[in-house]
Amino acid sequence: MWNTDTMMCALFRTIAETGLAPDMGLPLDFVPVDYTAEAIVHIVTHQEPDGRVYHITNPHDARLPLLVERLVAMGYPVRTMPYDAWSGMLADLTAQLPDHPMAPYVAMFVEPAHDSDVTVKQMYTDGTFPTFGRHNTAAALADSGLVCPPVDAELLDTYLREFRRTGYLAPPPEKH
């Protein structure tokens, strides 16, 4: 289950509907909620509260090209294009359709970050996006038996099938 009122869900839908994806290595660091809940419960019931930080991230994340691959495998005719052309398309799309799911997020893709020369897009690419240390989390969960499923084809297909089942994603166009 996903809260579909998020930027990532809107991005999934926009790529599927337009058939266009930005050619970028946007991280897909998805952590299923059941794993997150079990990890939190385990940590708070097995660790002394001493101020340590526990980043619950996926140790096996993926990048946006895998989402494109999975959409294509499901029959969506998606192709990548240079980021600047894609963000221009996104700005035009949301200007024409102000109720579009990506409308609240379009500024993140086209404007610089506050008090910075770096765009938000640049902040979310490999080499710029912060890496959160998982040492405390890994140590705290070592004896738990919990395993965070990797962001792979199987996980993305599960999410995409659920989006289709619920109607959040329309089925791919029929091939003629």
Side-chain angles (χ1 to χ4, degrees):
M1 298 297 297
W2 275 48
N3 170 9
T4 55
D5 192 22
T6 65
M7 192 273 301
M8 283 310 259
C9 287
L11 180 65
F12 278 35
R13 184 170 170 179
T14 300
I15 292 171
E17 288 177 351
T18 65
L20 300 170
D23 186 10
M24 66 182 293
L26 181 72
L28 304 177
D29 181 12
F30 304 140
V31 182
V33 69
D34 53 345
Y35 170 83
T36 301
E38 291 173 4
I40 291 170
V41 168
H42 186 83
I43 291 168
V44 294
T45 59
H46 291 81
Q47 300 296 312
E48 287 294 322
D50 59 7
R52 283 180 286 169
V53 174
Y54 299 90
H55 295 291
I56 300 178
T57 63
N58 197 315
H60 307 288
D61 64 353
R63 298 291 177 266
L64 189 62
L66 180 60
L67 172 64
V68 171
E69 174 190 305
R70 300 320 308 153
L71 284 166
V72 169
M74 289 187 159
Y76 293 90
V78 178
R79 66 180 173 86
T80 59
M81 62 191 306
Y83 179 81
D84 290 338
W86 181 84
S87 63
M89 176 280 302
L90 182 63
D92 292 343
L93 175 69
T94 56
Q96 293 171 15
L97 302 169
D99 290 337
H100 192 277
M102 279 300 286
Y105 309 107
V106 72
M108 292 179 64
F109 292 92
V110 298
E111 296 177 8
H114 183 67
D115 292 333
S116 175
D117 292 332
V118 177
T119 65
V120 174
K121 170 256 181 183
Q122 290 169 314
M123 293 172 68
Y124 282 90
T125 56
D126 288 332
T128 307
F129 192 72
T131 301
F132 297 101
R134 298 191 77 261
H135 175 76
N136 291 342
T137 303
L141 298 177
D143 65 342
S144 70
L146 296 175
V147 177
C148 185
V151 181
D152 59 9
E154 181 180 352
L155 186 66
L156 289 178
D157 287 354
T158 298
Y159 294 152
L160 292 170
R161 280 192 304 272
E162 182 64 11
F163 289 156
R164 284 188 52 193
R165 187 193 69 73
T166 62
Y168 183 74
L169 277 186
E174 291 190 27
K175 293 180 182 177
H176 298 286

